[in-house]
Amino acid sequence: MADAFRFQYRSSNNIRPDFKRSLPWLLSSRWILLTLIWAVGFILIVAWQRTAFDRFWTPPPRPIPRLRSLVFNLTDFGAVGDGVTLNTKAFERAIAEIRKRGGGQLNVEAGRWLTAPFNLTSHMTLFLAENAVVLGINDENHWPLMPPLPSYGYGRECPGPRYGSLIHGQNLKDVVITGHNGTINGQGQTWWIKYRKKLLNHTRGPLVQLMWSRDIQISDITLRDSPFWTLHPYDCQNITIRNVTILAPLSDAPNTDGIDPDSCENMVIENSYISVGDDGIAIKSGWDQYGIAYARPSTNILIRNVIVRSMISAGVSIGSEMSGGVSNVSVENLLVWNSKRGIRIKTSPGRGGYVRKISYQNLTLENVRVGIVMKTDYNEHPDKGYNPNALPVIEDISFKGIRGQGVRIPVRIYGSQEIPVWNVTFQDMLVGITYKKKRIFQCSFVQGRVIGKIFPKPCENLDLYDDEGRLIKQSTSQNSSTDTIDYDS
């Protein structure tokens, strides 16, 4: 018994020290567990608070920068941003005050500001705050009538006068339209329906049109749903269009071009997105005999870092109204996606004028029906007074760095015996095609060259050079025509 007792005692003594060593570990584990529970609970509480905070609180609007020494708010002149009150008089009073003071800034704060057309003034900044929307009234009775443009001689859609633009300006200097991506909305749906039903007696008006003006900057805004052409600088100099979004439905929004430089000089269009119901960008300079007489070319235009979508027409066009001439145009870093055409030059007998010294570099074509088009039979004329013997000249056009996929016809150059296409250059082209036909390039009456290897195979009208510029093969006939289908290009 004593021995058994001593054994049990020794055994219990052996166990007790092990228990004492394990106690701190158990306590430590408990603290770790409690710490983890507390941390998870804290994270859940913070997440819940943030969700509730975001749901019931919105950050304050960004402050409007002071870009001019004199600043006014539209509400100072009685404007109400409820989308119902007509604010034309408020805009007019504000701009009259800026004109009287020799310049200033007009802030349009968040809200929906319904208005009829109004005119800007020189040395003015129109600033559209975040969530500010300038709404064009869709009743044409509020839109003033103006004479036809002198280089068109015709309202463009109807003879006689044309409707003015929602935001307009003539003979101005130093004009800025900018903001925190505020919007100018032309509410064009009513106009488009009336146009298709032939219920309008005059040509629809653009959304923004500046005429005979210089030193213009338009940036960091959205332009949408124009009744007609969206942004139309006419006979202007020194224009910068930057960080602009231009939107209209891809169908059933007729003639809603994005930007139409018309007889303009020294212009930059960059870092912008355009998705519209006609040409994304269309460079013009007057129509037939009226444009020839007006004689103001579009020249020195740079287009770069632009994304375009156009299901009806083309990403970037020249013409067809180009009777005053178009020259020294550079298009760089352009993406055209899910569109009917990528690049287009269009003209016809009777236009006169010229398209020359045009450079396209780093173009990307994604799911485009016809990549590059030159068309010389675009026979639309203002009246019967045009001269059919006024033949345009197309020359010195270069393409370098063309990439793409899903393109049906990569190139279609359709010169004519009357209007041949001269000195076209292709270099560094690799375009994936969806239409497998022997002659992928469609060419007629064109002279030019291919430098280095390109894909798809070019037409036989073009001379072939190696990468060092040495002639490999000279074309035997620059007038040959491929027997392929037009595809309405």
Side-chain angles (χ1 to χ4, degrees):
M1 293 287 296
D3 290 338
F5 176 80
R6 284 194 295 271
F7 174 77
Q8 291 176 359
Y9 180 79
R10 283 195 301 267
S11 297
S12 63
N13 282 342
N14 291 338
I15 294 172
R16 196 169 295 166
D18 293 338
F19 176 76
K20 289 181 179 179
R21 283 195 301 269
S22 65
L23 185 60
W25 181 86
L26 288 173
L27 292 174
S28 175
S29 299
R30 184 178 297 175
W31 280 111
I32 291 172
L33 181 61
L34 290 174
T35 301
L36 288 174
I37 293 172
W38 179 86
V40 170
F42 179 78
I43 291 170
L44 290 174
I45 291 171
V46 169
W48 177 83
Q49 288 179 334
R50 176 170 293 182
T51 302
F53 188 72
D54 291 341
R55 185 179 301 169
F56 299 108
W57 180 87
T58 56
R62 286 183 288 175
I64 298 175
R66 190 182 185 95
L67 303 178
R68 305 265 183 180
S69 58
L70 186 64
V71 179
F72 298 100
N73 294 325
L74 185 62
T75 51
D76 297 338
F77 299 87
V80 180
D82 57 6
V84 177
T85 303
L86 191 61
N87 294 293
T88 315
K89 294 298 182 182
F91 277 105
E92 290 175 346
R93 286 192 293 266
I95 293 168
E97 185 66 22
I98 289 172
R99 184 185 303 113
K100 185 175 72 173
R101 302 286 195 96
Q105 176 176 327
L106 178 59
N107 295 334
V108 181
E109 298 169 307
R112 296 172 62 82
W113 311 91
L114 183 67
T115 181
F118 60 88
N119 295 320
L120 302 179
T121 190
S122 292
H123 310 296
M124 173 183 176
T125 295
L126 178 64
F127 193 98
L128 305 181
E130 187 175 15
N131 298 320
V133 181
V134 176
L135 289 171
I137 191 167
N138 54 20
D139 180 354
E140 67 267 25
N141 294 315
H142 288 267
W143 289 61
L145 291 175
M146 302 180 66
L149 295 169
S151 61
Y152 286 72
Y154 187 91
R156 189 59 186 87
E157 294 178 330
C158 302
R162 61 191 176 93
Y163 289 108
S165 59
L166 178 63
I167 297 180
H168 193 79
Q170 294 184 192
N171 301 301
L172 305 182
K173 295 181 180 179
D174 179 24
V175 175
V176 177
I177 303 175
T178 188
H180 286 151
N181 199 33
T183 299
I184 302 171
N185 187 332
Q187 300 199 100
Q189 293 83 356
T190 301
W191 293 92
W192 308 332
I193 293 170
K194 289 181 178 180
Y195 170 75
R196 288 196 297 270
K197 291 183 177 180
K198 299 183 178 180
L199 298 176
L200 296 172
N201 296 319
H202 307 287
T203 299
R204 293 165 289 154
L207 189 63
V208 178
Q209 184 180 63
L210 299 174
M211 304 172 60
W212 305 303
S213 299
R214 61 181 302 135
D215 305 328
I216 300 162
Q217 177 181 320
I218 300 174
S219 65
D220 301 292
I221 59 171
T222 294
L223 307 174
R224 69 178 308 144
D225 294 344
S226 175
F228 188 56
W229 299 345
T230 302
L231 178 52
H232 185 209
Y234 179 82
D235 197 354
C236 293
Q237 298 180 19
N238 305 335
I239 312 121
T240 299
I241 299 171
R242 177 183 297 130
N243 299 331
V244 169
T245 300
I246 300 179
L247 304 172
L250 293 169
S251 61
D252 297 324
N255 307 108
T256 49
D257 294 8
I259 304 173
D260 291 77
D262 203 339
S263 294
C264 288
E265 182 177 358
N266 301 331
M267 184 170 183
V268 176
I269 302 171
E270 63 183 357
N271 305 332
S272 295
Y273 178 86
I274 304 171
S275 178
V276 289
D278 209 305
D279 290 316
I281 299 171
I283 302 172
K284 304 176 182 291
S285 64
W287 200 10
D288 286 3
Q289 71 271 29
Y290 303 104
I292 294 171
Y294 194 71
R296 301 283 201 281
S298 279
T299 187
N300 298 337
I301 296 175
L302 172 60
I303 300 168
R304 63 187 176 192
N305 305 329
V306 175
I307 301 173
V308 186
R309 189 179 184 196
S310 170
M311 290 296 292
I312 301 298
S313 194
V316 175
S317 287
I318 297 176
S320 71
E321 309 93 332
M322 38 63 66
S323 301
V326 177
S327 66
N328 297 326
V329 175
S330 179
V331 180
E332 304 172 359
N333 305 329
L334 173 74
L335 168 62
V336 183
W337 68 289
N338 285 13
S339 297
K340 188 170 186 179
R341 306 176 188 91
I343 298 295
R344 181 159 71 158
I345 296 173
K346 48 185 176 176
T347 185
S348 73
R351 291 288 191 271
Y354 54 83
V355 176
R356 61 165 63 109
K357 296 182 180 178
I358 315 296
S359 170
Y360 301 92
Q361 187 166 349
N362 296 334
L363 307 183
T364 302
L365 308 171
E366 295 285 345
N367 298 320
V368 174
R369 186 174 183 181
V370 185
I372 296 167
V373 181
M374 299 186 198
K375 188 176 179 68
T376 59
D377 59 351
Y378 200 84
N379 287 308
E380 261 191 337
H381 305 284
D383 53 46
K384 295 181 179 180
Y386 75 96
N387 177 8
N389 296 317
L391 302 176
V393 175
I394 304 177
E395 61 185 1
D396 303 332
I397 317 292
S398 68
F399 298 89
K400 183 177 181 181
I402 315 298
R403 298 289 183 270
Q405 62 181 359
V407 178
R408 183 172 175 83
I409 303 295
V411 176
R412 183 173 192 273
I413 304 175
Y414 189 50
S416 65
Q417 190 166 3
E418 291 180 303
I419 310 172
V421 178
W422 298 103
N423 194 26
V424 177
T425 302
F426 288 92
Q427 185 176 4
D428 184 21
M429 179 173 181
L430 180 60
V431 173
I433 56 176
T434 61
Y435 183 63
K436 310 297 184 183
K437 196 171 179 72
K438 183 178 179 181
R439 292 174 174 173
I440 299 301
F441 274 48
Q442 300 178 3
C443 301
S444 64
F445 293 94
V446 55
Q447 177 271 329
R449 68 188 60 80
V450 172
I451 300 176
K453 293 182 179 180
I454 68 172
F455 183 86
K457 182 181 178 181
C459 54
E460 296 178 356
N461 309 58
L462 304 175
D463 300 334
L464 303 182
Y465 288 76
D466 64 16
D467 291 323
E468 282 70 42
R470 294 185 293 259
L471 179 65
I472 297 174
K473 180 182 178 182
Q474 190 166 12
S475 170
T476 56
S477 174
Q478 280 129 20
N479 298 335
S480 63
S481 179
T482 55
D483 55 355
T484 50
I485 303 170
D486 189 338
Y487 296 115
D488 188 30
S489 60

